[in-house]
Amino acid sequence: MHWLAYLGIVVGTFLVMEGITWLTHRYVMHGFLWYLHEDHHKKGPGFFEKNDWFFVIFAVPSMLLILFGTLNKIYWMQAIGFGIMAYGFAYFLVHDVIIHQRFKFLTRSNNIYVKAIRWAHKMHHKHIEKEDGESFGMLMVHKKYWEKVRKDQEFQKARQ
């Protein structure tokens, strides 16, 4: 397989994962697997949450695709596995490190994108029950959150 096609599959899979994440978050995590996701909205004691099992749920297909793709020399399958893995790493970095700050690095940022994803996620978490949620994606932020952050920045500049 040509390296450019391989890279295209990895990047394409990464991009498709945002849609899969949105659908899974909206209809599975806030649906029939709410019992695993609920403690993420209603924080309890301790570092780990039942919600962390979703990391495993998404990691297993990624690892299997990489393994079987490698062993059988089916490189498009391997590339899909690496695309899922790359999205999982980005999700971890954005969700657990930047937004929820479960790990204490990258805690301060004035970047407009970081502020927009934090605001969108804050709006998601204002709903503590599984119904009536909003902002189910992770890396793509709806226009209304960008606008809110831009207005806040303009207000701050005007005050100085």
Side-chain angles (χ1 to χ4, degrees):
M1 172 176 271
H2 191 271
W3 70 270
L4 203 53
Y6 189 92
L7 183 61
I9 293 170
V10 171
V11 171
T13 301
F14 182 95
L15 296 173
V16 166
M17 282 304 296
E18 179 70 7
I20 291 170
T21 298
W22 190 97
L23 290 167
T24 302
H25 192 178
R26 172 67 183 93
Y27 295 108
V28 175
M29 296 165 89
H30 281 256
F32 67 93
L33 288 181
W34 174 249
Y35 70 94
L36 285 178
H37 187 59
E38 183 177 19
D39 67 344
H40 185 63
H41 285 264
K42 299 173 184 176
K43 186 73 174 134
F47 182 78
F48 291 103
E49 303 170 346
K50 287 185 288 184
N51 184 68
D52 293 331
W53 279 104
F54 287 107
F55 172 79
V56 175
I57 291 168
F58 277 104
V60 168
S62 173
M63 291 185 306
L64 291 174
L65 285 163
I66 293 168
L67 176 66
F68 291 128
T70 302
L71 293 176
N72 297 306
K73 298 184 183 344
I74 305 171
Y75 295 111
W76 61 266
M77 185 183 287
Q78 182 191 60
I80 291 171
F82 279 121
I84 295 170
M85 184 183 77
Y87 186 86
F89 178 75
Y91 187 97
F92 166 77
L93 185 64
V94 168
H95 185 262
D96 290 315
V97 175
I98 294 173
I99 293 173
H100 287 289
Q101 299 179 5
R102 289 175 78 182
F103 303 91
K104 300 300 181 198
F105 58 95
L106 303 176
T107 57
R108 299 181 190 265
S109 176
N110 287 322
N111 179 282
I112 191 167
Y113 173 71
V114 169
K115 287 183 175 187
I117 59 171
R118 280 187 172 157
W119 185 254
H121 206 71
K122 182 176 183 151
M123 293 299 96
H124 176 73
H125 276 273
K126 79 177 183 180
H127 305 280
I128 59 172
E129 299 299 330
K130 72 178 185 177
E131 296 85 11
D132 302 321
E134 63 181 283
S135 189
F136 292 97
M138 180 52 51
L139 302 177
M140 292 176 52
V141 181
H142 191 278
K143 185 175 114 177
K144 68 182 177 181
Y145 303 115
W146 285 97
E147 290 170 355
K148 195 267 187 227
V149 169
R150 283 190 184 106
K151 285 179 185 176
D152 287 351
Q153 285 182 331
E154 290 169 9
F155 178 74
Q156 289 297 325
K157 285 181 185 177
R159 288 185 61 207
Q160 292 176 354

